[in-house]
Amino acid sequence: MNADINIIEEGSGKRLAVAGGNYRIIISGEKTENRFAVIEMTVPPNGGPPPHSHPNTHETFYVLEGEVEFKTEKGKTVVSKGGFVEIPFGGAVHCFKNTSDSFAKLLCTVMPAGLEKIFEAIGQPVSEGEFLPVPEMTEERKKFLQNLDEKFGQKTFPSDYLD
């Protein structure tokens, strides 16, 4: 086991355009023996991922700035700065969306690591503060995303699944 302490400076890490947001992989599974990964998510107004589930991942979100609407099969809740969301193992369908007029920032931890690999596969490198449009959902893109879901044990649902 690696007993070294990791210190990650502000602004360091890989930045990717994902789901309309700017995601910074602060620490990946490669640095934690795949025990966990931490991702900072800057989400613009109307940004956020579609409903999805990943039964073999325990995921948490801490809202650093702004607010987001979290949806699950049990309903929806607006979570503001200082709020915390835990999605345990088991595959609960969930998503979030920034329904406000300002940016939101979330700190996401996934255990074990692996979800960051999906972000690396679907995201495009960006600079801090750079936001790219969500790629068009072509048949080729759908097939690519379905293959990723299968590879990583995740399932993605239509955007209106939790409405």
Side-chain angles (χ1 to χ4, degrees):
M1 178 180 243
N2 182 355
D4 290 340
I5 294 172
N6 288 307
I7 298 174
I8 292 94
E9 298 292 330
E10 180 181 2
S12 65
K14 188 182 291 187
R15 285 193 178 276
L16 301 165
V18 177
N22 186 307
Y23 288 17
R24 176 172 70 111
I25 300 172
I26 295 174
I27 191 164
S28 70
E30 294 166 356
K31 301 270 187 183
T32 67
E33 297 177 346
N34 288 316
R35 290 186 314 275
F36 67 94
V38 178
I39 304 106
E40 176 188 76
M41 303 170 164
T42 303
V43 185
N46 295 312
H52 60 280
S53 67
H54 30 73
N56 299 315
T57 302
H58 183 180
E59 186 174 30
T60 67
F61 295 91
Y62 179 75
V63 181
L64 297 166
E65 297 174 12
E67 63 183 32
V68 290
E69 179 183 78
F70 266 85
K71 290 184 184 179
T72 70
E73 291 172 296
K74 293 185 177 183
K76 59 186 174 181
T77 304
V78 173
V79 184
S80 301
K81 180 179 178 178
F84 184 81
V85 176
E86 178 202 14
I87 301 163
F89 290 108
V93 179
H94 62 282
C95 67
F96 62 84
K97 183 175 183 176
N98 181 350
T99 56
S100 76
D101 293 332
S102 14
F103 285 84
K105 190 175 281 190
L106 312 173
L107 191 63
C108 173
T109 302
V110 294
M111 299 153 282
L115 195 59
E116 79 278 16
K117 295 294 182 196
I118 295 175
F119 298 153
E120 289 173 344
I122 64 172
Q124 295 181 29
V126 290
S127 301
E128 183 174 358
E130 182 180 8
F131 296 87
L132 301 180
V134 176
E136 183 182 345
M137 193 54 73
T138 63
E139 287 304 315
E140 182 179 332
R141 179 104 177 137
K142 283 181 190 176
K143 186 171 180 97
F144 170 71
L145 294 173
Q146 286 172 339
N147 288 337
L148 279 178
D149 277 358
E150 290 172 17
K151 179 178 179 180
F152 289 98
Q154 176 172 287
K155 185 167 183 183
T156 303
F157 298 86
S159 58
D160 62 352
Y161 181 80
L162 293 173
D163 289 343

